[in-house]
Amino acid sequence: MLSLIEKAETGHELNREELLCLLSDASNLQEITAAADRVRHEYVGDEVHLRGLIEFSNICKNNCCYCGLRRDNTEIHRYRLDEDTIFKLAEYAVTQMGLKTIVLQSGEDMWFNSQRMCALIGRIKTLDAALTLSVGEKSAEEYLAYKQAGCDRFLLRIETTDKILYKRHDPGMSWKRRRECLNDIRRSGMEVGSGCLVGLPGQTLESLADDILFFKQINADMVGIGPFIPHPDTPLRNAEKGNFDLSLKVMALTRLLLPDINIPATTAMETLASNGQTKALQSGANVIMPNVTLNECRKYYELYPGKSVTNCSSDKSLAKLRAKISSIGRSVATDKGFRKRQNNLQIETLSVIMPSNKN
Ligand code: SAM
Ligand code: SF4
C-alpha cells in the first residue's frame, strides 16, 4: 500500500486498479493526505488563494435531484441580483477586501443571456482581478464570447463519470453534452474547472476512481470535490450523506495525480465536518472561496441544508480567515492564482476515452 502512495507521490500516475486499492482501504487516509500535502507544498507552495464568491441568482431551469436550487423545489424563495449590485459586490471584494479573483455562480438562469453576461464580465474586468464563472452548460459560442469579454476561468463539475448514475440524478440532462461543454470551455481558452460529488446514492468506489482519472485525462486546471449533502426539499431527502473522510481521500488522490492544479477546500467539506476546510487545506487543497454575496440572499442559495459560509465581507471576518490560514503555517496569496503549469507535466487534453459504461 505504501509503495502505491510513494508511486503516486513521485510519478503522479496510478491506474484504475491502483486507485481502487487505495480507495477501498480506510486505514491509509493519513498516509495519503500527508503525501498530498507534501505534493501541494512542492508544486503550488504554501499560499492559499482566496476567490470571492458571488451567488448572483438561485433561479435554475434544471432539476438535478441532489440540489436545493432545482426547478421543482417550490419551497425556496428565488432571487436574482441585478448587474449594478453584482458589480458593487465585486468592486467591494477587490478594492476593500483585496481579493484577486471573483467567482460568479448561479443556477442556470436564462435571463442572463450571452449579451447580459458579457456586459457583466466586461464591467467586472475593469477591476484588477481574475474572473471565474460557474453558470452551467452553454453553447461553444457562448463560452467563447465569455472568454472574449474577459472571463478567465469556468467551473463545470462533471458531478460523476458514471453515466447511469448521472442519468438517474440529473434528469433531462445529458452526460455527453456536459462532457462536450468541458471541451468547449477548453477550446475557448478559459481555464477549465471540474469536479465531482462524493457519496451520491448508488455511487461506487470504481466510479470515484474513474472520476479521478477523468480529471487527469481532461487535464483540469481546477478540481472541486465535495461530499453530497441531502436537501429535505429534493427527491434525495432520505439519502445518506457523503462521507467526509472519503471525500478528503478523493481530493488528496486528485492532488497526487494532478500536482500543479488549483484545488479548493470546498464549503461542503466545512459543512460536513468541523474544521473540514482546514483539514482539506492540510490534505492537498490550496484555495478557499469566501462568500461575498449580499447577506440577505445567502440563506436562499441553499444547495443543501446547514451550508457553512466562509465570510469575507468585513475587515473582522477577513482577519479571522487570515488568522485561520496562518495558524496552519500558510499565507494568503497576493497574485491572481492562475495554474502554474509544470512543463514536465504537459498532458494531451482533447479526446477522452472513458471506461465502458452503458449509455
Ligand atoms: N448551476 C451550475 C452547475 O450546476 O454547474 C453552478 C451552480 S451549482 C449549485 C454548483 C455545484 O453545487 C454543483 O456542481 C454541485 O456539485 C453542487 N451541489 C449541488 N447540490 C449539492 C448537494 N446537495 N450537496 C453537495 N453539493 C451540491
Ligand atoms: Fe441547477 Fe446547478 Fe443545482 Fe443542477 S446543480 S439544479 S444545474 S443549480
mmCIF file of all heavy atoms in Angstrom, residues 60 62 64 66-67 69-70 107-108, ligand 2:
data_model
loop_
_atom_site.group_PDB
_atom_site.id
_atom_site.type_symbol
_atom_site.label_atom_id
_atom_site.label_comp_id
_atom_site.label_asym_id
_atom_site.label_seq_id
_atom_site.Cartn_x
_atom_site.Cartn_y
_atom_site.Cartn_z
ATOM 1 N N CYS A 60 -33.067 28.346 -11.529
ATOM 2 C CA CYS A 60 -32.442 27.309 -12.343
ATOM 3 C C CYS A 60 -33.476 26.563 -13.171
ATOM 4 O O CYS A 60 -34.532 26.201 -12.662
ATOM 5 C CB CYS A 60 -31.675 26.321 -11.456
ATOM 6 S SG CYS A 60 -30.676 25.201 -12.467
ATOM 7 N N ASN A 62 -32.848 23.666 -14.494
ATOM 8 C CA ASN A 62 -32.572 22.228 -14.378
ATOM 9 C C ASN A 62 -33.174 21.643 -13.102
ATOM 10 O O ASN A 62 -33.636 22.371 -12.226
ATOM 11 C CB ASN A 62 -31.062 21.974 -14.421
ATOM 12 C CG ASN A 62 -30.492 22.296 -15.792
ATOM 13 O OD1 ASN A 62 -31.191 22.198 -16.793
ATOM 14 N ND2 ASN A 62 -29.237 22.699 -15.835
ATOM 15 N N CYS A 64 -31.654 18.860 -11.118
ATOM 16 C CA CYS A 64 -30.728 17.883 -10.523
ATOM 17 C C CYS A 64 -31.307 17.394 -9.192
ATOM 18 O O CYS A 64 -31.668 18.208 -8.330
ATOM 19 C CB CYS A 64 -29.356 18.515 -10.314
ATOM 20 S SG CYS A 64 -28.699 19.285 -11.812
ATOM 21 N N TYR A 66 -30.167 16.206 -6.551
ATOM 22 C CA TYR A 66 -29.460 16.432 -5.282
ATOM 23 C C TYR A 66 -29.519 17.891 -4.831
ATOM 24 O O TYR A 66 -29.184 18.211 -3.706
ATOM 25 C CB TYR A 66 -27.984 16.003 -5.417
ATOM 26 C CG TYR A 66 -27.355 16.377 -6.749
ATOM 27 C CD1 TYR A 66 -26.860 17.637 -6.967
ATOM 28 C CD2 TYR A 66 -27.303 15.453 -7.793
ATOM 29 C CE1 TYR A 66 -26.319 17.987 -8.194
ATOM 30 C CE2 TYR A 66 -26.763 15.783 -9.023
ATOM 31 C CZ TYR A 66 -26.271 17.055 -9.225
ATOM 32 O OH TYR A 66 -25.750 17.396 -10.438
ATOM 33 N N CYS A 67 -29.944 18.803 -5.713
ATOM 34 C CA CYS A 67 -29.694 20.229 -5.456
ATOM 35 C C CYS A 67 -30.940 20.998 -5.008
ATOM 36 O O CYS A 67 -32.006 20.895 -5.628
ATOM 37 C CB CYS A 67 -29.130 20.857 -6.740
ATOM 38 S SG CYS A 67 -28.806 22.623 -6.581
ATOM 39 N N LEU A 69 -31.574 24.013 -5.390
ATOM 40 C CA LEU A 69 -31.996 25.053 -6.340
ATOM 41 C C LEU A 69 -32.794 24.466 -7.509
ATOM 42 O O LEU A 69 -33.220 25.198 -8.397
ATOM 43 C CB LEU A 69 -30.780 25.809 -6.905
ATOM 44 C CG LEU A 69 -29.769 26.417 -5.930
ATOM 45 C CD1 LEU A 69 -28.833 27.356 -6.672
ATOM 46 C CD2 LEU A 69 -30.449 27.144 -4.796
ATOM 47 N N ARG A 70 -32.990 23.161 -7.511
ATOM 48 C CA ARG A 70 -33.655 22.501 -8.660
ATOM 49 C C ARG A 70 -35.006 23.152 -8.961
ATOM 50 O O ARG A 70 -35.711 23.619 -8.073
ATOM 51 C CB ARG A 70 -33.784 20.996 -8.403
ATOM 52 C CG ARG A 70 -34.753 20.637 -7.306
ATOM 53 C CD ARG A 70 -34.550 19.202 -6.845
ATOM 54 N NE ARG A 70 -34.676 18.237 -7.918
ATOM 55 C CZ ARG A 70 -35.808 17.643 -8.264
ATOM 56 N NH1 ARG A 70 -36.946 17.940 -7.653
ATOM 57 N NH2 ARG A 70 -35.830 16.756 -9.233
ATOM 58 N N GLY A 107 -27.635 29.350 -10.571
ATOM 59 C CA GLY A 107 -28.333 28.278 -11.260
ATOM 60 C C GLY A 107 -28.309 28.582 -12.751
ATOM 61 O O GLY A 107 -27.767 29.621 -13.164
ATOM 62 N N GLU A 108 -28.883 27.715 -13.550
ATOM 63 C CA GLU A 108 -28.937 28.020 -14.995
ATOM 64 C C GLU A 108 -30.123 28.953 -15.220
ATOM 65 O O GLU A 108 -31.238 28.530 -15.492
ATOM 66 C CB GLU A 108 -29.003 26.738 -15.824
ATOM 67 C CG GLU A 108 -27.670 26.011 -15.813
ATOM 68 C CD GLU A 108 -27.499 25.014 -16.951
ATOM 69 O OE1 GLU A 108 -28.180 25.140 -17.983
ATOM 70 O OE2 GLU A 108 -26.672 24.098 -16.777
HETATM 71 FE FE1 SF4 B 2 -29.277 23.903 -11.229
HETATM 72 FE FE2 SF4 B 2 -26.642 23.616 -10.849
HETATM 73 FE FE3 SF4 B 2 -28.412 22.954 -8.925
HETATM 74 FE FE4 SF4 B 2 -28.275 21.445 -11.102
HETATM 75 S S1 SF4 B 2 -26.631 21.746 -9.580
HETATM 76 S S2 SF4 B 2 -30.173 22.196 -10.132
HETATM 77 S S3 SF4 B 2 -27.828 22.968 -12.654
HETATM 78 S S4 SF4 B 2 -28.015 24.979 -9.721
#
